[in-house]
């Protein structure tokens, strides 16, 4: 079992648990538009940091020392930002998918990278503090082909688990007495043998077929943790609110704010912002280089990079 002292040791010495991981980041981010119009979802800022930064930091906490990221939508921006992993002090390889391969196809494409030992796969649009060390320990004890990290999240409770923590069914809709997939899974390299090559395929569909064939697909159930995706504008706002929980107003570097500016409830203001006299910002996120002119109110909204706001904005994305 991994206690707090073990987790602290991992943070100090990432090599304690040397592992590879894959971040799934090739999606189009359709439900998050227009935030993803000109950038991949992985680079959308949460609390003034691209969401992929937070995923990388999370994996590093548990000793992951090599990462592969699949990319498609605005892939060049992601390649340039990750820069081979140099800003993060570990190797990061980007695999570009000219044609979207879905989650299973993306994992299969990374088979030469994820080839020798158990590896972690995580969705690129989630923020969490789930104890990954405990999940890894459970996976090793079970000798499973795959372990899915599950939790109780009622809109998506589709997965049935028996008393031995074996997954028995994955439905297409939420059902009573089931659990939801967190988007975190631990896989053995042998999984590649069960994913069709060179075609788009969902990894969840592969899991259904393995379950039907009697292969060991196991569950690790997490409780009392934080988990949030940024799949929609509402969940994106919720994720930013969470990052501002300790300091309800996050203000980026080199911002110019008139002393009369009022910030309400919570707010995230990106770098190089300009907020003029009488501006009010409430429950909103402003990206970098945003100008808000005199007397303007912004409430429950997201203002993207380099916008100039001159009239009141409520429940809007600009």
């Amino acid at each position: 079992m991994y206690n707090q002292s073990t987790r602290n040791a991992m943070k100090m010495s990432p090599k304690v648990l040397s592992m590879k991981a894959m971040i799934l980041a090739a999606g189009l981010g359709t439900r998050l538009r227009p935030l993803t119009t000109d950038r991949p979802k992985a680079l959308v800022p949460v609390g003034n940091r691209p969401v992929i930064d937070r995923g990388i930091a999370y994996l590093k906490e548990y000793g992951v020392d090599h990462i592969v990221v699949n990319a498609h939508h605005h892939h060049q921006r992601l390649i340039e930002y990750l820069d081979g992993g140099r800003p993060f002090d570990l190797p990061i390889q980007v695999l570009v998918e000219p044609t979207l391969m879905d989650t299973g196809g993306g994992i299969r494409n990374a088979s030469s990278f994820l080839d020798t030992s158990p590896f972690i796969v995580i969705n690129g649009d989630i923020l969490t503090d789930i104890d990954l060390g405990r999940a890894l320990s459970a996976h090793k004890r079970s000798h499973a082909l795959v372990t899915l990290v599950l939790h109780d999240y009622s809109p998506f409770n589709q997965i049935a688990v028996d008393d031995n923590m074996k997954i028995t069914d994955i439905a297409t809709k939420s059902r009573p007495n089931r659990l939801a997939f967190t988007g975190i899974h631990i896989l053995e390299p042998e999984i590649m043998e069960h994913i069709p090559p060179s075609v788009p395929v969902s990894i969840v569909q592969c899991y259904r077929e393995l379950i039907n064939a009697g292969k060991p697909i196991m569950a690790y159930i997490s409780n009392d943790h934080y988990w949030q995706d940024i799949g929609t504008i509402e969940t994106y706002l919720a994720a930013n609110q969470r990052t501002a929980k300790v300091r309800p107003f996050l203000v980026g570097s080199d911002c110019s704010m008139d002393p009369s500016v009022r910030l309400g409830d919570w707010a995230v203001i990106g770098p190089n912002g300009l907020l003029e006299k009488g501006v009010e910002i409430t429950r909103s996120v402003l990206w970098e280089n945003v100008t808000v002119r005199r007397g303007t109110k912004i409430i429950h909204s997201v203002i993207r990079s380099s916008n100039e706001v001159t009239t009141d904005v409520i429940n809007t994305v600009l």
Side-chain angles (χ1 to χ4, degrees):
M1 183 175 292
Y2 288 76
N3 55 30
Q4 187 60 47
S5 62
T6 304
R7 292 182 69 184
N8 289 340
M10 286 179 176
K11 293 178 188 179
M12 293 176 63
S13 180
K15 298 295 183 181
V16 168
L17 179 61
S18 179
M19 287 197 72
K20 294 181 178 181
M22 181 173 191
I23 299 176
L24 297 175
L28 298 175
T30 305
R31 293 182 302 149
L32 201 56
R33 289 178 182 168
L35 303 188
T36 52
T37 299
D38 61 357
R39 68 179 68 191
K41 184 161 56 171
L43 294 186
V44 168
V46 175
N48 285 336
R49 290 175 61 191
V51 66
I52 199 168
D53 281 28
R54 298 180 181 274
I56 293 168
Y58 172 67
L59 292 169
K60 286 182 68 176
E61 178 182 351
Y62 291 97
V64 168
D65 53 9
H66 289 78
I67 294 176
V68 63
V69 180
N70 67 336
H72 172 79
H73 180 59
H74 292 299
H75 61 268
Q76 191 59 41
R77 290 195 62 172
L78 194 57
I79 291 169
E80 292 170 0
Y81 180 78
L82 294 176
D83 191 22
R86 279 175 281 275
F88 306 94
D89 195 30
L90 82 170
I92 300 178
Q93 179 181 351
V94 178
L95 296 180
V96 176
E97 296 179 10
T99 301
L100 276 172
M101 299 300 291
D102 209 333
T103 50
I107 293 169
R108 177 63 188 256
N109 277 352
S111 58
S112 61
F113 175 84
L114 306 167
D115 57 352
T116 59
S117 59
F119 60 92
I120 300 160
V121 175
I122 183 170
N123 290 354
D125 62 351
I126 63 172
L127 298 95
T128 188
D129 62 3
I130 287 171
D131 192 327
L132 189 54
R134 294 192 180 201
L136 287 162
S137 181
H139 175 77
K140 290 180 179 180
R141 288 195 306 268
S142 71
H143 304 289
L145 179 64
V146 180
T147 297
L148 275 61
V149 180
L150 309 181
H151 62 164
D152 185 4
Y153 197 72
S154 56
F156 305 104
N157 284 355
Q158 300 166 222
I159 299 179
V161 180
D162 69 15
D163 292 340
N164 296 315
M165 303 300 290
K166 186 176 180 180
I167 294 175
T168 59
D169 184 61
I170 305 177
T172 57
K173 295 181 179 179
S174 183
R175 294 183 182 178
N177 302 314
R178 296 200 174 201
L179 294 165
F181 181 35
T182 61
I184 303 171
H185 24 166
I186 304 161
L187 305 90
E188 295 293 325
E190 291 78 15
I191 190 65
M192 302 302 180
E193 300 170 10
H194 303 281
I195 305 174
S198 306
V199 294
V201 60
S202 163
I203 193 63
V204 172
Q205 182 55 38
C206 293
Y207 293 160
R208 289 191 179 103
E209 293 174 5
L210 287 167
I211 291 165
N212 291 336
K215 299 293 184 180
I217 308 297
M218 304 298 287
Y220 171 78
I221 301 173
S222 179
N223 297 291
D224 301 321
H225 60 262
Y226 166 67
W227 183 93
Q228 179 68 65
D229 73 341
I230 61 162
T232 66
I233 298 298
E234 284 304 315
T235 58
Y236 173 73
L237 284 166
N240 276 275
Q241 181 180 5
R242 170 75 182 204
T243 64
K245 186 176 181 180
V246 177
R247 291 179 298 150
F249 309 114
L250 295 181
V251 179
S253 60
D254 299 318
C255 280
S256 177
M257 297 173 56
D258 187 89
S260 65
V261 169
R262 290 187 288 178
L263 303 178
D265 198 355
W266 66 270
V268 177
I269 314 298
N272 301 304
L274 172 61
L275 279 61
E276 294 185 343
K277 185 175 181 179
V279 164
E280 296 182 24
I281 310 291
T282 301
R283 300 189 305 280
S284 296
V285 180
L286 279 58
W287 291 7
E288 67 273 14
N289 304 311
V290 169
T291 297
V292 186
R293 295 302 182 189
R294 177 186 294 256
T296 300
K297 297 179 181 179
I298 298 176
I299 301 171
H300 199 74
S301 297
V302 182
I303 311 300
R304 292 179 293 154
S305 302
S306 304
N307 264 297
E308 180 177 348
V309 188
T310 59
T311 58
D312 291 354
V313 173
I314 301 174
N315 297 324
T316 301
V317 179
L318 293 180

